[in-house]
Amino acid sequence: MAGLTAVGLITLIYYRQLLLVKTTTVILTFLLSVLIASTVWGLGVSVFMSLAAMLCVDYFFLPPIGTLNINDPEDWVSLFAFLVTAVIGSELSARARRQAHEANRQRNEVSRLYEFSQSLLSAQTPLDLFNEIPTRIVQLFEARSAALYLPGKETIYRSGIDVPELDAAQLKAIHAAGYFETDVNLRRSYCPVRLRTQMIGSFGISGSVVSKRTLEAIATLIAAAIDRMNAIELVGKTEAARESERLKSVLLDAIAHDFKTPLTSIKAAATSLLEDLEFNKRQRGELLVVIDEECDRINRVIGQAIEMAQLEAGEVKLQMSPHFVSELMAAALEDCESVRNTRPIHTEKMRQDARVDCDLFWARKVLVHLIRNADVYSSPREPITITSDEKDGFIVFHVADVGPGIEKAEIDQVFAKFFRGKSQRHRVPGTGMGLAVAKAIVEAHGGTIEVVSEVGRGSVFTFTLPIERVTNAAR
C-alpha cells in the first residue's frame, strides 16, 4: 500500500502538470522511489512498484496518452531499461541491506560472546561458574531459559523460565550422542560441550534462535572456563598439600624447640628440687624462677596458637573504644617489665592528647609482641625506641631496634605464619606466629603493619590504628 501510494502521488503530481518536466525526469523520479523502497521495505515491494510505475508511465506519459499502447520503439526501450534498472538496483540494495543486517548480527554475537567470556572469568568457585553459565546465556542471548548439564553433578543448572523442552533426558542424550540439535519453529537449540576430545556436558537454549557457529563458540567458552576452574582447583589442592607439609615441619620444629626445651628445663629444675633437700633459699628460688619462666614460655606459645585460630575463624569481636596513646603504651610497657629490666626503652609521643579507637586488650598485644621481638633480636644493652605520630586519620606507631636486621629477600615473608628468618631461626627460639598474630589484630582494627630493615643496623616495625572519630554532638 505504501508503494502504491508513492507511485500514485508521483503520477498525480506530474500528470496534473504541477511540475512541468520531461518524461525522462518522470522515469528517473519513479526509479529513485523504487530504490528508496527497496532499501526500506525490501526487494518484493520494489519489484511491485517497478511494474506499477512502468504501467503508469505508459498510460499517463507516453503517447498515445490514456492507452496502454506505445507507438515509438524508443519508448519501449526506455520502459524496458527502466524496469531492468529498477529491478537490478532493488536487488543490489536489498542485498546490501541483508549484508549489513548480517554484519550487525555477527557483531552483536561477537560482543555477546565477549561479555559471556568475561563473566565466566569472574567466577570464583565452581558452583558460581555453573550457575553463572545459564544465567548469562539468558541475559546476553535474549533467551527464555537455558540449562547446563554436567555428568556427575547432582543437579542441572538452570536459569529463566523452566520450559518442559529443556529436560534432563534431552540434555543427557545430547551429551551422549555429541551432536547439535536445533528446532527453528520451537526456537530451541541443544549443543554438546567438548573439551579437546572428551565430552564434558551439554547445554540447551529456548526462546532464541542462535546460529550453529555461535553455539559452538558458547560451548568452547564453557569448556575453557570449566577447564580453567579445574586447573585452579588443582593448583589450590597442590598448594594446600604443600602448605600442610610445611606446617607439619614447622610445628614439629616448634615442638622440638618451644616445648621440648622449656619442658627439659622444668624437668631438670623440678628433679633437682626433689632430689636435693640441702638447697638454700636462694638456690631454691632460682630453680623456681626457671620453672616459672619456662611455664610462661610454653603458655605464650599456646596462647599465640589459640589467638591465631580465633582471629582466622573470625571469633574475635573487638570492643572498640577511645584510648589515649599514652594509655596504650603504658599498658604494653607494664606487660614488658622483664624487658625494661635488661635494656632501656625510649618512648616519644608527638601528641599527648591523641586518642586511638581500638580494643585495648588486643591492641596492647601488638605493641607487646613488637617490644619483645625487638628485645630478642636487639644487640645487648642497645635501646628499643617507641614513637608515635599522626597521618591520614591514623596514629602511626614505630618500634625500632638495633640488631642484625632482616634480609631483603625475607622482608615480604616476616608476617607469614610460622616464618622464621634462616639466619636467626636456630639462634632465637620461637614459632613464627607472633608477627602473624600482630598483623591479624592490626588489620581487624582497619590498620596496616609493615617493616623497614637494614642488615647490620636493625629494624623498624610500623603499624597504624585509627584515630578516635569525634562526632558533631561530642564537639
Side-chain angles (χ1 to χ4, degrees):
M1 292 302 295
L4 282 176
T5 301
V7 172
L9 286 174
I10 295 172
T11 302
L12 180 63
I13 291 172
Y14 287 132
Y15 186 70
R16 293 291 185 179
Q17 297 184 353
L18 298 178
L19 294 174
L20 299 176
V21 293
K22 296 180 179 180
T23 304
T24 305
T25 304
V26 176
I27 292 176
L28 290 176
T29 304
F30 276 124
L31 180 61
L32 179 61
S33 67
V34 169
L35 293 177
I36 293 173
S38 67
T39 302
V40 178
W41 297 306
L43 180 62
V45 174
S46 62
V47 171
F48 179 75
M49 284 181 63
S50 300
L51 294 173
M54 185 183 73
L55 293 175
C56 287
V57 170
D58 182 12
Y59 190 85
F60 292 104
F61 300 103
L62 294 178
I65 295 175
T67 63
L68 293 175
N69 186 24
I70 302 175
N71 295 328
D72 191 346
E74 290 185 3
D75 293 336
W76 282 108
V77 174
S78 298
L79 284 178
F80 181 75
F82 163 74
L83 182 61
V84 172
T85 303
V87 171
I88 293 176
S90 299
E91 171 61 24
L92 293 176
S93 178
R95 183 182 300 174
R97 186 173 177 228
R98 289 194 301 270
Q99 290 175 346
H101 177 74
E102 180 65 19
N104 187 57
R105 186 188 65 79
Q106 291 180 356
R107 183 173 63 253
N108 289 337
E109 286 193 352
V110 169
S111 176
R112 291 170 178 175
L113 288 171
Y114 174 76
E115 286 189 51
F116 184 61
S117 66
Q118 293 300 108
S119 64
L120 297 188
L121 290 175
S122 64
Q124 300 297 319
T125 65
L127 183 59
D128 290 341
L129 175 64
F130 302 150
N131 287 321
E132 183 77 3
I133 288 171
T135 300
R136 296 300 288 175
I137 288 176
V138 169
Q139 292 174 353
L140 294 174
F141 296 93
E142 301 174 356
R144 286 201 310 270
S145 65
L148 173 67
Y149 166 70
L150 298 172
K153 303 297 181 182
E154 297 180 358
T155 182
I156 292 179
Y157 303 93
R158 299 178 181 273
S159 181
I161 302 172
D162 188 11
V163 294
E165 289 84 356
L166 297 178
D167 59 1
Q170 188 69 13
L171 289 166
K172 292 177 181 178
I174 294 296
H175 165 259
Y179 60 82
F180 295 87
E181 182 179 296
T182 299
D183 191 325
V184 178
N185 295 327
L186 296 177
R187 300 173 65 83
R188 187 175 69 241
S189 301
Y190 290 95
C191 180
V193 178
R194 182 183 288 105
L195 181 60
R196 291 178 285 274
T197 59
Q198 181 184 1
M199 290 290 178
I200 63 172
S202 63
F203 69 95
I205 303 176
S206 179
S208 177
V209 177
V210 182
S211 67
K212 182 178 179 181
R213 181 179 299 177
T214 302
L215 288 172
E216 290 177 339
I218 294 173
T220 301
L221 291 174
I222 292 174
I226 294 175
D227 190 40
R228 170 181 170 273
M229 191 58 66
N230 290 337
I232 292 175
E233 278 193 305
L234 180 60
V235 170
K237 291 178 181 178
T238 303
E239 287 298 321
R242 185 182 296 112
E243 182 70 8
S244 176
E245 290 300 320
R246 189 182 71 84
L247 291 181
K248 288 178 183 178
S249 176
V250 170
L251 286 174
L252 288 173
D253 183 67
I255 291 172
H257 291 85
D258 291 274
F259 283 91
K260 186 176 180 180
T261 302
L263 284 174
T264 301
S265 300
I266 292 171
K267 176 66 176 177
T271 301
S272 298
L273 287 171
L274 290 171
E275 290 181 353
D276 191 350
L277 302 179
E278 301 299 325
F279 284 135
N280 57 37
K281 185 176 181 180
R282 181 183 62 80
Q283 292 172 326
R284 286 198 302 273
E286 290 176 351
L287 291 174
L288 291 172
V289 167
V290 169
I291 294 173
D292 183 64
E293 288 179 348
E294 296 303 324
C295 286
D296 287 343
R297 180 175 168 184
I298 293 175
N299 188 56
R300 195 158 50 244
V301 172
I302 296 173
Q304 286 179 347
I306 294 172
E307 289 169 1
M308 192 73 244
Q310 290 175 334
L311 289 165
E312 286 187 338
E315 297 176 358
V316 175
K317 304 299 181 184
L318 299 179
Q319 304 297 322
M320 306 293 282
S321 58
H323 296 278
F324 287 106
V325 171
S326 56
E327 180 184 0
L328 175 57
M329 287 188 177
L333 291 173
E334 183 180 346
D335 289 346
C336 298
E337 189 64 31
S338 60
V339 178
R340 299 175 69 182
N341 293 334
T342 59
R343 70 173 72 246
I345 299 179
H346 302 315
T347 61
E348 180 181 345
K349 300 177 286 294
M350 298 297 291
R351 280 184 51 190
Q352 299 296 324
D353 61 339
R355 299 209 298 181
V356 292
D357 193 22
C358 68
D359 184 319
L360 185 62
F361 174 79
W362 287 98
R364 72 193 288 181
K365 286 181 175 291
V366 177
L367 199 52
V368 166
H369 179 77
L370 294 181
I371 293 172
R372 286 177 174 166
N373 207 53
D375 174 55
V376 170
Y377 288 98
S378 289
S379 302
R381 294 181 296 277
E382 292 290 349
I384 297 171
T385 305
I386 306 172
T387 61
S388 67
D389 53 45
E390 182 180 339
K391 182 180 180 182
D392 299 333
F394 289 85
I395 296 296
V396 184
F397 295 87
H398 308 275
V399 180
D401 64 58
V402 181
I406 305 170
E407 296 182 7
K408 289 184 178 180
E410 297 179 343
I411 283 183
D412 293 337
Q413 305 176 63
V414 294
F415 295 104
K417 287 185 297 184
F418 305 114
F419 177 78
R420 306 284 314 285
K422 63 180 182 180
S423 60
Q424 304 295 329
R425 66 183 60 169
H426 300 297
R427 187 180 70 85
V428 178
T431 60
M433 286 191 296
L435 288 176
V437 171
K439 183 175 185 289
I441 294 172
V442 171
E443 290 180 347
H445 281 80
T448 59
I449 186 169
E450 58 186 18
V451 61
V452 176
S453 184
E454 185 176 347
V455 176
R457 303 193 64 178
S459 306
V460 179
F461 284 85
T462 301
F463 70 96
T464 62
L465 293 175
I467 295 177
E468 175 195 10
R469 288 168 175 77
V470 182
T471 62
N472 291 331
R475 291 194 187 98

